Amino acid sequence: MAPTLLQAKQLRVAYGGIEAVKGIDFEVHEGELVSLIGSNGAGKTTTMKAITGGLPLKGGEVLYLGKPISGQGPWDLVRQGLAMVPEGRGVFTRMSITENLLMGAYTRRDKAEIAADIERVFTTFPRLRERKDQLAGTMSGGEQQMLAMGRALLSRPKVLLLDEPSMGLSPIMVDKIFEVVAQVHAQGTTIVLVEQNASRALAIADRGYVMESGLITMTGTGKDLLNDEKVRAAYLGE
Ligand code: ATP
């Protein structure tokens, strides 16, 4: 089996006295696309934030490349190849598209390759090329989502965490985003995908985890979960 890049062991996270993540275990192997699904408030975003240093752990640990990473901030993690596109995207609204992409490459010194990677992002998202000098804050939600993904790719991540990339987007944009996620995965990037859109997320996943009320309640291949009666009833509206 491919090496484990990211692992949570009995991870617990609380807001004040309320535990939102109650001791979960999961692992992500090199080259995998792993989807984390579950309803509103299940604890998916909290899990992502705890991994990338945005929230303190109440218990357990997160290992990246075999080493504990608690206490490290998002920038340290990006430097080590662990990048996240947060829910709500977080682009720099007062910077242009191109400036945002360059910020994604701030840990790199290889100017020619950075330019080539920006070119690649523009080929994937022609819309960003058309607007490359426009301020990011003036773009639509879907365009900002593309930019946030492009910016994360500019760090050349080993592992890319995506928190609800399809949220609030039009059906055409949702198609585009899932297409790009599958494409980035096919090019070799390991991906953790948090999604409300369970059917789409499981359809492109190697493996998936179902989260309910702060716990992982099911796991399996994307295909098995997609065909599971309980999953279909609870998350696929059947
Ligand atoms: P969604 O898809 O709606 O974002 P989620 O699965 O990502 O759901 P979380 O956002 O992780 O769920 O929320 C898990 C629980 O933690 C919820 O009960 C939520 O109300 C609570 N929670 C989230 N953020 C905070 C906060 N800043 N302070 C207090 N409680 C919070």
Side-chain angles (χ1 to χ4, degrees):
M1 190 180 275
T4 302
L5 297 189
L6 186 66
Q7 186 172 19
K9 288 186 177 175
Q10 284 301 302
L11 178 66
R12 287 175 187 273
V13 191
Y15 296 103
I18 299 172
E19 219 165 68
V21 175
K22 301 173 180 166
I24 62 170
D25 294 292
F26 65 85
E27 52 188 52
V28 180
H29 304 118
E30 187 164 35
E32 277 191 315
L33 194 169
V34 172
S35 290
L36 181 59
I37 64 161
S39 24
N40 273 316
K44 307 179 300 294
T45 296
T46 302
T47 302
M48 290 301 111
K49 285 185 182 163
I51 292 173
T52 50
L55 284 171
L57 309 189
K58 190 182 172 204
E61 59 180 356
V62 178
L63 305 178
Y64 175 60
L65 307 178
K67 297 200 184 96
I69 50 168
S70 41
Q72 297 192 44
W75 298 113
D76 293 326
L77 297 173
V78 167
R79 192 171 284 121
Q80 296 164 61
L82 181 63
M84 160 137 134
V85 179
E87 197 176 22
R89 294 139 202 155
V91 299
F92 301 110
T93 53
R94 288 162 173 274
M95 290 185 179
S96 72
I97 308 304
T98 304
E99 286 164 344
N100 266 275
L101 292 173
L102 285 169
M103 288 298 283
Y106 88 107
T107 55
R108 299 172 52 185
R109 293 288 167 269
D110 45 342
K111 279 206 173 133
E113 292 207 30
I114 291 170
D117 283 357
I118 289 181
E119 195 49 38
R120 203 165 299 141
V121 168
F122 284 160
T123 304
T124 307
F125 300 116
R127 189 73 173 199
L128 297 183
R129 187 199 306 275
E130 285 166 25
R131 315 217 156 178
K132 63 184 165 60
D133 300 318
Q134 190 172 318
L135 291 185
T138 64
M139 309 253 290
S140 75
E143 290 162 352
Q144 289 191 27
Q145 183 64 54
M146 293 176 185
L147 178 57
M149 282 181 64
R151 189 181 62 185
L153 290 173
L154 258 295
S155 71
R156 291 207 174 169
K158 281 194 186 63
V159 179
L160 181 61
L161 308 179
L162 300 170
D163 193 0
E164 306 251 6
S166 80
M167 191 172 59
L169 302 187
S170 68
I172 290 176
M173 280 294 183
V174 171
D175 287 349
K176 178 75 184 172
I177 291 293
F178 277 101
E179 189 187 303
V180 170
V181 172
Q183 184 186 324
V184 170
H185 174 230
Q187 288 163 358
T189 306
T190 304
I191 295 179
V192 181
L193 174 62
V194 166
E195 262 296 335
Q196 294 259 0
N197 192 332
S199 59
R200 301 293 293 267
L202 292 175
I204 60 169
D206 296 307
R207 288 188 307 114
Y209 291 91
V210 179
M211 212 169 164
E212 284 172 42
S213 309
L215 291 167
I216 285 172
T217 51
M218 289 179 83
T219 180
T221 64
K223 203 171 164 198
D224 287 348
L225 290 175
L226 205 48
N227 292 323
D228 185 275
E229 267 177 37
K230 273 182 280 171
V231 172
R232 298 189 78 83
Y235 303 106
L236 307 180
E238 291 180 12

